[in-house]
Amino acid sequence: MIEAETGSRVASHSLSFAQLLALAAKIRWLNADGIVVTQGTDTLEETSFLLDLLLDLNKPVIVTA
């Protein structure tokens, strides 16, 4: 089963640190086999790097535009 959820409706260059921390917390508690995060390209690399630092999971987390 695939489920979708909107976490934020701001341009990627406007994502705050607090929003990214909330995203990491949400991902940490999701009961899923894997996670796909979609966002704009402005801060794609930074979001990926931060999630890699914050999450220590045994499931894939994919960040894509």
Side-chain angles (χ1 to χ4, degrees):
M1 177 195 306
I2 296 174
E3 294 182 30
E5 184 175 318
T6 300
S8 181
R9 290 190 179 263
V10 299
S12 63
H13 68 275
S14 297
L15 284 169
S16 68
F17 191 65
Q19 287 171 306
L20 294 173
L21 287 175
L23 174 62
K26 176 73 174 180
I27 290 171
R28 193 175 294 114
W29 294 109
L30 285 174
N31 184 19
D33 294 330
I35 308 293
V36 177
V37 177
T38 60
Q39 70 168 59
T41 58
D42 287 340
T43 58
L44 187 66
E45 183 179 357
E46 291 81 359
T47 299
S48 300
F49 182 67
L50 182 63
L51 290 176
D52 186 48
L53 292 175
L54 294 174
L55 298 172
D56 183 24
L57 302 175
N58 290 325
K59 58 187 167 188
V61 178
I62 301 164
V63 182
T64 188

